[in-house]
Amino acid sequence: MSVITINFLLRLLPFLGWAKQTTLTSARQDALAGLTGAIIVLPQGVAYALIAGLPPEYGLYAAIVPATIAALFGSSWHLISGPTAALSIVVFTTISPLAEAGSASYITLVLSLTLMAGLFQLLLSLARMGTLVNFVSHSVVVGFTSGAAVVIATSQIKNSLGLDLASSGNFMVNWIAVSKNISATHLPSLVITLITLVTLIGVKRWRKKWPNMLIAMVVGSLATQLMLLTPWQAAQSIALVGEIPSQLPPLSAPLMDWDILRELAPGAMALGLLGLVEAVSIARSVATRSGQRIDGNQEFIGQSLSNIIGSFTSSYATSGSFTRTGVNYEAGATSPLAALFAAIFLALIVLLFAPLAAFITLPSMAAILLVVAWNLIDWHHIKIIYRAGKNEAMVFGVTFGATLLLPMEFA
């Protein structure tokens, strides 16, 4: 077989390259890293689905099929793809004006948006625009991510306080609604939120290697069950996430209505570009530590295929996850096989333990999302941006303000 043919096959099917180098020892390391990743994505997937306005199982579905496709066709050894906070808020703010969050029509529109974002990403990869992300200012990315973090935190205030308010992706609308109804705060919900927050922060500080989100979610759920045994009548109305179906991601069909697709186009382009910037930036970040060279265009292909195929397997828009990629690397992953193991273990967890999700409380998930939002704000680089001069600070400030005040797909 000629060198040209081999190079073509490796570009078309990049997993052939690392699959040949897999040994029993490296596979064992990847399996352990994959199990760690599956445990971490369990609470994250549920939380991100709630941000996106979707039933909780859709966050887990997005961490199974799309994560597998991105690992098989991407170039990074360590990048883990799946649902992310920033993409989830863009999905919600794009679709919520068109349909009621969580409804069948809402889900269909989200799948259509995901397909369009994937096709846009594929178009960029075919045009070999893999270097495009190099021209996106770091100040813009930090500003957008910080703004998205504030929007996410704001959207969860109502759940942490137990307020019965309509869901909205608008920063100002959320704060006005919360301020008008603050006197109706549901005290048991607030107590569960605080218990979960204290557990999250405590485990993170004193037991850094433990899955703090999963532990906090369990502690919050146990505290709720104990509270239900007390005479405190108000505790009976603590909101629950609800049971997750014990099934693998079912096949789905995005909507093919040209009028709707035209309306979704701006959001799809924003979603697609943000997803690519996220994925390639994270892949390059971890590659500087592993010594690997990243093929940006190959990452474009992996991300585009993951969203296109994901839209037909009940998955919404995905990208690289900074948290799970970092954990994957620290856990000793040696190849993308770790991402495949993580997807397999997560699928087994969904099949065997999904009914336990009926005991997860919304205030606990709100507490987890508040911490996720805090971690999204890159305080270190914000300081560097402001030290760099007025121009960079202005770029950051304008982007941050636009993310709070404008529709997310335009920000």
Side-chain angles (χ1 to χ4, degrees):
M1 191 177 292
S2 68
V3 175
I4 295 176
T5 304
I6 292 174
N7 288 337
F8 174 75
L9 282 175
L10 288 177
R11 182 166 291 279
L12 187 66
L13 306 170
F15 54 85
L16 294 177
W18 54 261
K20 286 199 312 179
Q21 301 170 9
T22 300
T23 64
L24 187 60
T25 302
S26 67
R28 189 182 299 115
Q29 286 180 262
D30 287 338
L32 290 173
L35 179 59
T36 304
I39 291 172
I40 288 174
V41 79
L42 185 62
Q44 278 191 343
V46 171
Y48 293 159
L50 296 178
I51 291 177
L54 293 164
E57 62 268 23
Y58 281 82
L60 302 180
Y61 294 162
I64 297 176
V65 175
T68 301
I69 300 299
L72 289 173
F73 291 94
S75 69
S76 174
W77 296 336
H78 301 102
L79 182 69
I80 300 292
S81 294
T84 71
L87 292 191
S88 296
I89 194 65
V90 174
V91 167
F92 178 69
T93 54
T94 303
I95 305 298
S96 57
L98 305 176
E100 184 182 352
S103 64
S105 58
Y106 183 93
I107 293 170
T108 302
L109 288 174
V110 169
L111 296 176
S112 302
L113 181 69
T114 301
L115 175 61
M116 292 178 67
L119 291 173
F120 174 66
Q121 292 174 329
L122 183 61
L123 185 64
L124 291 179
S125 67
L126 293 176
R128 304 196 61 77
M129 300 289 284
T131 57
L132 183 67
V133 293
N134 295 332
F135 300 99
V136 178
S137 167
H138 185 63
S139 300
V140 170
V141 175
V142 174
F144 180 86
T145 306
S146 300
V150 174
V151 174
I152 290 168
T154 303
S155 70
Q156 293 306 309
I157 296 296
K158 65 185 184 71
N159 289 332
S160 62
L161 299 179
L163 300 175
D164 186 16
L165 303 175
S167 296
S168 173
N170 186 288
F171 170 77
M172 293 303 298
V173 169
N174 277 328
W175 271 115
I176 291 171
V178 169
S179 62
K180 286 182 176 179
N181 294 274
I182 193 72
S183 60
T185 296
H186 186 239
L187 192 55
S189 295
L190 179 58
V191 170
I192 296 300
T193 299
L194 294 175
I195 289 173
T196 308
L197 273 175
V198 169
T199 305
L200 259 172
I201 296 169
V203 174
K204 181 68 175 177
R205 181 171 182 178
W206 289 294
R207 289 292 184 270
K208 292 184 178 181
K209 293 187 177 180
W210 291 11
N212 62 324
M213 288 187 181
L214 185 65
I215 292 171
M217 187 172 67
V218 170
V219 169
S221 299
L222 289 175
T224 301
Q225 295 305 310
L226 290 174
M227 204 177 285
L228 292 175
L229 298 176
T230 67
W232 198 3
Q233 288 298 317
Q236 303 299 320
S237 56
I238 295 175
L240 301 175
V241 169
E243 190 171 334
I244 295 175
S246 298
Q247 63 178 23
L248 296 176
L251 295 178
S252 54
L255 186 66
M256 295 300 179
D257 184 315
W258 289 113
D259 291 333
I260 295 294
L261 297 181
R262 194 181 304 112
E263 195 166 355
L264 295 179
M269 293 176 67
L271 198 64
L273 189 57
L274 177 61
L276 293 177
V277 171
E278 243 186 337
V280 177
S281 298
I282 293 167
R284 285 181 175 165
S285 176
V286 75
T288 59
R289 300 168 65 186
S290 66
Q292 183 198 1
R293 287 193 64 182
I294 296 297
D295 183 339
N297 208 63
Q298 191 64 52
E299 284 302 326
F300 273 33
I301 293 172
Q303 294 300 317
S304 64
L305 292 178
S306 69
N307 281 318
I308 291 170
I309 296 174
S311 69
F312 292 98
T313 55
S314 299
S315 303
Y316 75 100
T318 60
S319 181
S321 164
F322 186 80
T323 302
R324 297 194 298 278
T325 298
V327 169
N328 189 49
Y329 176 75
E330 295 296 336
T334 63
S335 75
L337 186 61
L340 272 63
F341 274 122
I344 292 169
F345 285 132
L346 180 60
L348 291 174
I349 290 171
V350 169
L351 288 174
L352 299 176
F353 302 107
L356 295 177
F359 299 101
I360 301 173
T361 65
L362 276 182
S364 287
M365 297 311 303
I368 289 173
L369 288 172
L370 290 174
V371 174
V372 167
W374 176 265
N375 292 334
L376 274 176
I377 301 176
D378 194 338
W379 300 105
H380 173 70
H381 280 102
I382 290 174
K383 290 179 182 178
I384 293 176
I385 288 169
Y386 274 88
R387 287 173 187 164
K390 291 182 179 179
N391 290 341
E392 288 298 319
M394 185 178 295
V395 169
F396 168 83
V398 169
T399 308
F400 179 78
T403 306
L404 295 183
L405 302 175
L406 297 177
M408 195 71 72
E409 66 270 22
F410 294 110

